[in-house]
């Protein structure tokens, strides 16, 4: 598929077309930060600390500060090693801190904020290419207003990964294979789910080769580049731990992470249903999983491109079928933005005022929930 807009539009023209979406994205995220600031002040907490110095953000800054090899030994004997965290975000934190007065934590926050705008732009470009400009704006606002959208504004790697994934997928959809491969490789240096971007590129390339019975040199380079980032880091971890190809899996296993097809998550949900009021949470989880599956089925039925279906399917499967940290699942689903495209198309068909009212209400609810969540359990 080639971009139907004339080449003369260039990057400046593309940015002008995306400006309404990016402004709307910034407005939604600014609302979330304002509500977070007010809620945190009422509870005597620092919103800056919540955004930069808790949970995974601490692990990333420690990698940036001390390098790899730092670990925590728990009372039960298990070891949590910072080798579980992929290196691109801490590398960028170190780079930004080196050329500015920012600390590693604040550098991570700046990288995340800039990356979230790049991610919003990439999502807009994909939705615009497939369904038109109005759908692109709606898709971006929906992504900004997800219930755990506040993570997009934290010193976490979700925004950086989503930006790289979205632009890699856009490059695949428009036949820019070398760019797609480079971006997929960088996504693979950001999070383990970078494998979803690689699979999307490979699947699309395979279908095109079968259909056309030839492979271009650009496609071949893109296919070869795509897995380099993730493979290099996994092999390096295996070498460092002395456990070879299974070294990274062992590191994740110490964290309680694995892939069991969703059995542990099912048991977790089932345990919630055995008493009240936890049963309400269990029913909410079931409804949430059903919604995710229904949206994916809609994506398939509406004929989304193969690259998006493969990417989104793997992101969803890895998020829902992982065996540990059940509270992280909504956060792990943040990069699955293709799920939002059917909803964005439906909203784009509404009158502007009605669509704006719906999106405004969703954004307000997201801001309140994000402040409540981050001041409470937050993302593990």
């Amino acid at each position: 598929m080639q971009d139907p807009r004339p080449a003369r539009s260039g990057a400046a023209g593309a940015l002008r077309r995306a400006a309404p979406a990016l402004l709307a994205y910034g407005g939604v995220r600014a609302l979330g930060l304002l509500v977070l600031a007010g809620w945190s002040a009422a509870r005597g907490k620092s919103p800056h600390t919540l955004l930069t110095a808790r949970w995974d953000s601490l692990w990333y800054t420690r990698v940036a500060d001390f390098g790899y090899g730092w670990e925590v030994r728990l009372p039960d004997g298990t070891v949590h090693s910072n080798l579980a965290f992929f290196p691109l975000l801490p590398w960028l934190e170190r780079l930004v801190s080196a050329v500015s007065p920012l600390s590693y934590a604040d550098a991570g926050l700046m990288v995340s904020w800039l990356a979230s705008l790049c991610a919003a732009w990439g999502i807009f470009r994909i939705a615009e290419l497939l369904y038109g400009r109005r759908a692109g704006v709606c898709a971006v606002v929906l992504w900004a207003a997800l219930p755990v959208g506040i993570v997009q504004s934290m010193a976490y790697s979700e925004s950086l990964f989503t930006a790289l994934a979205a632009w890699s997928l856009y490059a695949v959809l428009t036949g820019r294979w070398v760019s797609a491969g480079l971006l997929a490789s960088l996504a693979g240096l950001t999070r383990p789910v970078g494998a979803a971007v690689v699979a999307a590129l490979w699947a699309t390339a395979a279908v095109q080769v079968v259909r056309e019975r030839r492979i271009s040199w650009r496609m071949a380079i893109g296919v070869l580049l795509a897995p380099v980032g993730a493979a290099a880091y996994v092999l390096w971890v295996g070498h460092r731990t002395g456990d070879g190809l299974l070294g990274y899996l062992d590191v994740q296993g110490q964290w309680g992470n694995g892939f069991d097809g969703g059995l542990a998550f099912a048991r977790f949900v089932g345990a919630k249903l055995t008493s009240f009021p936890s049963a309400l949470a269990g029913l909410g989880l079931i409804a949430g999983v059903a919604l995710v599956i229904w949206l994916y089925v809609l994506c398939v039925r509406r004929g989304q491109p193969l690259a998006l279906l493969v990417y989104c399917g793997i992101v969803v499967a890895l998020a829902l079928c992982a065996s540990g940290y059940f509270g992280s699942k909504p956060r792990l689903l943040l990069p699955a933005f293709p799920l939002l495209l059917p909803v964005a198309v439906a909203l784009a068909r509404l009158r502007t005022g009605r669509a704006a009212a719906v999106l405004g209400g969703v954004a307000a609810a997201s801001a309140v929930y994000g402040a409540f969540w981050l001041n409470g359990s937050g993302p593990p």
Side-chain angles (χ1 to χ4, degrees):
M1 182 184 299
Q2 296 294 328
D3 192 336
R5 289 179 299 281
R8 60 182 173 83
S9 62
L15 182 57
R16 282 195 297 271
R17 290 185 62 82
L22 297 180
L23 288 172
Y25 177 83
V28 174
R29 295 293 352 117
L31 175 63
L33 292 174
L34 285 172
V35 174
L36 174 66
W39 196 298
S40 301
R43 293 177 60 89
K45 294 184 178 181
S46 165
H48 179 262
T49 300
L50 293 175
L51 294 171
T52 64
R54 293 185 70 187
W55 306 293
D56 288 6
S57 57
L58 286 174
W59 287 90
Y60 285 118
T61 56
R62 284 167 182 155
V63 172
D65 197 3
F66 305 112
Y68 284 105
W70 193 84
E71 59 188 30
V72 173
R73 186 171 296 275
L74 302 182
D76 63 1
T78 58
V79 175
H80 285 184
S81 168
N82 65 1
L83 290 169
F85 295 87
F86 276 51
L88 187 56
L89 178 58
W91 284 350
L92 292 174
E93 290 177 345
R94 184 176 292 179
L95 174 63
V96 172
S97 183
V99 299
S100 73
L102 297 176
S103 66
Y104 291 131
D106 288 335
L109 191 63
M110 188 183 81
V111 169
S112 183
W113 285 9
L114 292 176
S116 69
L117 284 170
C118 291
W121 190 6
I123 292 169
F124 171 80
R125 290 285 276 174
I126 289 173
E128 181 195 28
L129 176 66
L130 298 176
Y131 306 112
R133 191 180 187 189
R134 283 173 62 89
V137 174
C138 292
V140 166
V141 175
L142 286 171
W143 188 67
L146 287 171
V148 294
I150 190 67
V151 174
Q152 298 165 23
S153 301
M154 297 177 67
Y156 267 48
S157 61
E158 273 76 10
S159 291
L160 178 60
F161 173 78
T162 305
L164 294 166
W167 282 104
S168 179
L169 291 169
Y170 179 77
V172 169
L173 294 176
T174 54
R176 297 173 171 91
W177 291 102
V178 177
S179 297
L182 284 170
L183 291 165
S185 186
L186 290 172
L189 281 170
T190 308
R191 296 188 63 81
V193 75
V197 190
V198 177
L201 189 154
W202 281 0
T204 304
V207 170
Q208 188 166 323
V209 168
V210 170
R211 183 183 299 131
E212 299 179 1
R213 297 185 179 180
R214 68 178 184 86
I215 181 170
S216 68
W217 66 268
R218 290 184 176 85
M219 180 187 292
I221 291 175
V223 166
L224 292 174
L225 283 173
V228 168
Y233 182 68
V234 168
L235 290 173
W236 179 80
V237 170
H239 173 73
R240 178 161 181 139
T241 60
D243 294 326
L245 293 175
L246 299 180
Y248 183 75
L249 295 180
D250 290 341
V251 169
Q252 286 285 1
Q254 287 287 318
W255 278 82
N257 293 327
F259 188 88
D260 65 355
L263 292 177
F265 185 42
R267 288 195 292 268
F268 174 78
V269 174
K272 292 283 186 183
L273 299 175
T274 59
S275 61
F276 187 85
S278 65
L280 297 177
L283 292 174
L285 289 171
I286 293 172
V289 171
L291 175 62
V292 168
I293 294 173
W294 176 68
L295 287 173
Y296 186 74
V297 171
L298 276 183
C299 293
V300 175
R301 294 180 62 182
R302 302 288 171 83
Q304 276 190 15
L306 178 65
L308 298 187
L309 294 177
V310 171
Y311 164 77
C312 188
I314 293 175
V315 171
V316 169
L318 291 176
L320 295 183
C321 298
S323 59
Y325 292 96
F326 305 117
S328 297
K329 294 189 183 296
R331 172 172 66 87
L332 298 178
L333 286 168
L334 268 179
F337 64 87
L339 292 176
L340 303 173
L341 296 183
V343 184
V345 171
L347 287 170
R349 292 171 179 164
L350 299 177
R351 292 181 178 179
T352 301
R354 183 172 298 179
V358 172
L359 292 171
V362 172
S366 170
V368 172
Y369 180 77
F372 165 76
W373 183 57
L374 209 54
N375 276 275
S377 60

